[in-house]
Amino acid sequence: MSDAPAQGTVHPPTWEAHLPPGTDPATVALTPAANLTARWVAHWRARPSDVFLLDDHGDSLSGAELDAASATAAGRLAGRGLRAGDRVLISCGSSLELAIAHIGALRLGLVVIPANTAYRAEELAHIIGDAEPRLAIIDDPERAGWVRQAAPIEVLAPELAVADADGGGLPALDATTLESPALIGYTSGTTGRPKGAVLSHGNLLASVEAVRIAWRWTPSDRLWLCLPLFHMHGLGVGLHGTLAVGASAVISARFDLDALLDAARQRRATMFFGVPTMYSRLAAADAGALANLRLLVSGSAPLPADLHRALEQASGARVLERYGMTETAMLVSNPFDGDRRPGTVGIPLPGVELRLDAATSEVLVKGPNVFGGYLGRPDANAEAFTADGFFHTGDVGEYDEAGYLKLVARMKELIISGGYNVYPREVEDALRLHPAVHDAAVVGEADPEWGEAVTAYCETDGSVSGEELIAFVGEHLARYKRPKRVSIVSALPRNAMGKVVKASLADAPTTG
């Protein structure tokens, strides 16, 4: 029995709705340069004295300094024998040195493989075996040791702008094409071993140009960037977007509430990109200084509608929620001008085509930002795209009454209980309405009677029982959507971007 959302006659807005008034869609160019780095360098050379990157310690890089430092880094990599098309693994904490190393690698034409700094030896070994990098840039001795155990490749520290004896001469820079691979982003591996999504210069440039247009991002903006630079949100949107726009960013190694509020007051920050766990802390704080920021963007995990409203009440700021993936960079966004609807991710960004599968409501997308395929995975690539070239996102979606996209569930997270379809997000949202619940995660667990039992894991203040929460959900949702089991846990397991790791829920420490 299907419980899929009926779409009726809803006609979602197209990407043209993001354009400033009076803009002719025919004039929109999402790839206005020969490659990604050429776009960046043009800004540095046009404004050599302007500051483009800063850090928490007061250090900064002007256009001329960034141009020279990244060229030195590229020269050092070339001196190690690397040439355009070679792959380099980078796993480092956020810093100016990391940014320079990343930019230098791309300017040389190398393909960067960003790796989470939380990865352990086995995870790094899988990526190294799959992608076969020629060299690694690592900022931690233990991780460097794991890399050397996995493959006989050289490992460098991220301070590549400090030339050494074997740095070599200045190689040809910024010579790649839009079709040249730039990044291999490894997926989270929630449905098996992680796969490497190969994104080209054109994919990454088209994505940041789309958000530049949609978010009215200008060279006068300054982003406080505390998201890790191994993830699409921090790297592909935060750093790449800042450089493509010709704006500036303060690169921070971690999220710090006081530092953000100080950046909004003292460091001329105008933008902040965060994940829901960060916004939860902001909503509970004295967040009035956020009113100084012209744009707050949330992504990487769904932002609960009640948190969206709580933050607006605390600060007067309306968060702009968007939707993207490793394989596609940015896809959908609430509009900058117009209604930002809590609980939705908005409408397609410039250049993006989107539709919902008629049978499953899976979100299917197509556009210049969408990757060409997974590294060395012909079978996976055949399954990843429809016959007419749309990418299967694996997300189940529906349109609200205004045609904005809502993400309901992951295809593989859909729970079929007693023949009914239950979407975890809907049950999680209902649980979060209870004042004692800080957060919740819902999964299906094997059950001899129901096939799958709706099972909830809840972070609470300790004042509510599982039985009370089951009854509470029954007040808001159909009976078959009520959890059969509720575990009260001290903390939900999360990854570096704040996403709940549902595969680890059973191991979460319980309370009471």
Side-chain angles (χ1 to χ4, degrees):
M1 184 181 301
S2 173
D3 193 47
Q7 294 306 300
T9 57
V10 171
H11 298 290
T14 59
W15 64 262
E16 288 85 357
H18 281 294
L19 301 182
T23 303
D24 181 357
T27 65
V28 173
L30 296 179
T31 50
N35 55 54
L36 186 64
T37 61
R39 178 71 162 162
W40 304 345
V41 172
H43 290 298
W44 304 337
R45 293 178 179 172
R47 295 154 46 211
S49 300
D50 288 1
V51 170
F52 287 85
L53 295 180
L54 310 91
D55 68 9
D56 289 330
H57 311 296
D59 294 327
S60 63
L61 289 167
S62 67
E65 291 168 336
L66 197 48
D67 190 358
S70 60
T72 298
R76 188 170 179 195
L77 292 169
R80 293 303 209 270
L82 273 67
R83 298 293 180 265
D86 287 339
R87 299 169 190 154
V88 56
L89 177 83
I90 302 182
S91 180
C92 300
S94 296
S95 66
L96 291 180
E97 290 76 19
L98 167 60
I100 291 168
H102 175 78
I103 294 166
L106 289 181
R107 293 190 69 186
L108 184 59
L110 304 181
V111 184
V112 173
I113 308 160
N116 193 323
T117 54
Y119 281 163
R120 308 299 290 173
E122 182 179 348
E123 294 161 306
L124 285 172
H126 166 71
I127 291 174
I128 291 169
D130 192 64
E132 299 181 332
R134 290 273 316 277
L135 182 142
I137 299 172
I138 309 289
D139 64 352
D140 174 75
E142 184 176 35
R143 247 179 297 129
W146 294 338
V147 170
R148 293 188 181 99
Q149 290 173 7
I153 60 175
E154 185 173 12
V155 179
L156 298 179
E159 291 80 9
L160 300 185
V162 180
D164 60 5
D166 55 358
L170 187 65
L173 301 177
D174 312 308
T176 55
T177 68
L178 291 172
E179 292 73 30
S180 299
L183 212 65
I184 302 178
Y186 274 79
T187 61
S188 61
T190 55
T191 58
R193 298 289 275 177
K195 302 184 292 291
V198 183
L199 291 119
S200 70
H201 279 255
N203 295 149
L204 297 170
L205 182 56
S207 180
V208 294
E209 283 295 309
V211 297
R212 178 190 67 79
I213 294 166
W215 298 345
R216 313 296 190 261
W217 202 345
T218 74
S220 62
D221 278 312
R222 174 164 292 173
L223 171 67
W224 194 68
L225 179 56
C226 65
L227 295 167
L229 299 184
F230 51 70
H231 187 275
M232 185 58 73
H233 195 171
L235 182 66
V237 186
L239 181 62
H240 289 182
T242 294
L243 299 175
V245 170
S248 61
V250 180
I251 296 177
S252 184
R254 62 187 180 88
F255 173 70
D256 180 271
L257 184 60
D258 292 335
L260 171 58
L261 298 179
D262 179 68
R265 296 187 186 100
Q266 306 294 334
R267 305 195 71 182
R268 297 194 302 106
T270 62
M271 302 169 66
F272 171 65
F273 298 168
V275 299
T277 51
M278 296 175 182
Y279 284 112
S280 180
R281 290 181 59 190
L282 286 169
D286 179 14
L290 295 181
N292 296 332
L293 299 173
R294 74 165 191 88
L295 182 62
L296 303 172
V297 176
S298 181
S300 297
L303 183 72
D306 57 340
L307 177 54
H308 190 290
R309 298 186 185 98
L311 191 69
E312 183 177 9
Q313 291 173 359
S315 68
R318 285 185 64 79
V319 177
L320 186 152
E321 190 169 5
R322 91 307 178 271
Y323 164 51
M325 304 181 70
T326 300
E327 293 93 337
T328 64
M330 293 301 98
L331 289 167
V332 174
S333 172
N334 270 265
F336 181 82
D337 298 317
D339 194 13
R340 301 178 191 177
R341 301 176 69 87
T344 77
V345 291
I347 60 180
L349 283 163
V352 175
E353 298 178 64
L354 183 149
R355 71 177 189 232
L356 300 184
D357 184 272
T360 65
S361 294
E362 182 185 11
V363 179
L364 307 174
V365 294
K366 188 178 187 179
N369 55 303
V370 178
F371 81 136
Y374 297 105
L375 180 68
R377 302 292 181 92
D379 293 343
N381 292 334
E383 297 174 357
F385 295 90
T386 65
D388 56 349
F390 280 75
F391 173 63
H392 289 278
T393 66
D395 288 312
V396 179
E398 64 181 24
Y399 299 122
D400 74 356
E401 63 274 13
Y404 284 41
L405 179 67
K406 298 173 66 176
L407 298 179
V408 180
R410 289 290 293 170
M411 290 284 289
K412 294 186 180 296
E413 290 180 358
L414 176 68
I415 302 167
I416 303 177
S417 184
Y420 287 91
N421 289 358
V422 180
Y423 297 101
R425 172 80 183 273
E426 187 177 21
V427 184
E428 291 162 358
D429 285 346
L431 285 163
R432 292 188 190 104
L433 293 174
H434 194 288
V437 175
H438 302 314
D439 205 354
V442 172
V443 294
E445 294 185 350
D447 185 273
E449 180 179 0
W450 300 99
E452 286 183 294
V454 179
T455 304
Y457 294 80
C458 299
E459 288 181 15
T460 77
D461 63 7
S463 66
V464 65
S465 68
E467 291 75 15
E468 290 172 311
L469 290 175
I470 291 171
F472 179 79
V473 172
E475 297 173 9
H476 297 272
L477 299 177
R479 184 178 182 84
Y480 69 87
K481 298 178 183 178
R482 294 193 309 179
K484 299 292 190 295
R485 296 186 285 270
V486 173
S487 291
I488 308 298
V489 300
S490 57
L492 296 173
R494 299 180 185 275
N495 65 16
M497 293 304 296
K499 288 184 180 180
V500 173
V501 182
K502 291 193 171 182
S504 299
L505 285 172
D507 298 324
T510 58
T511 61

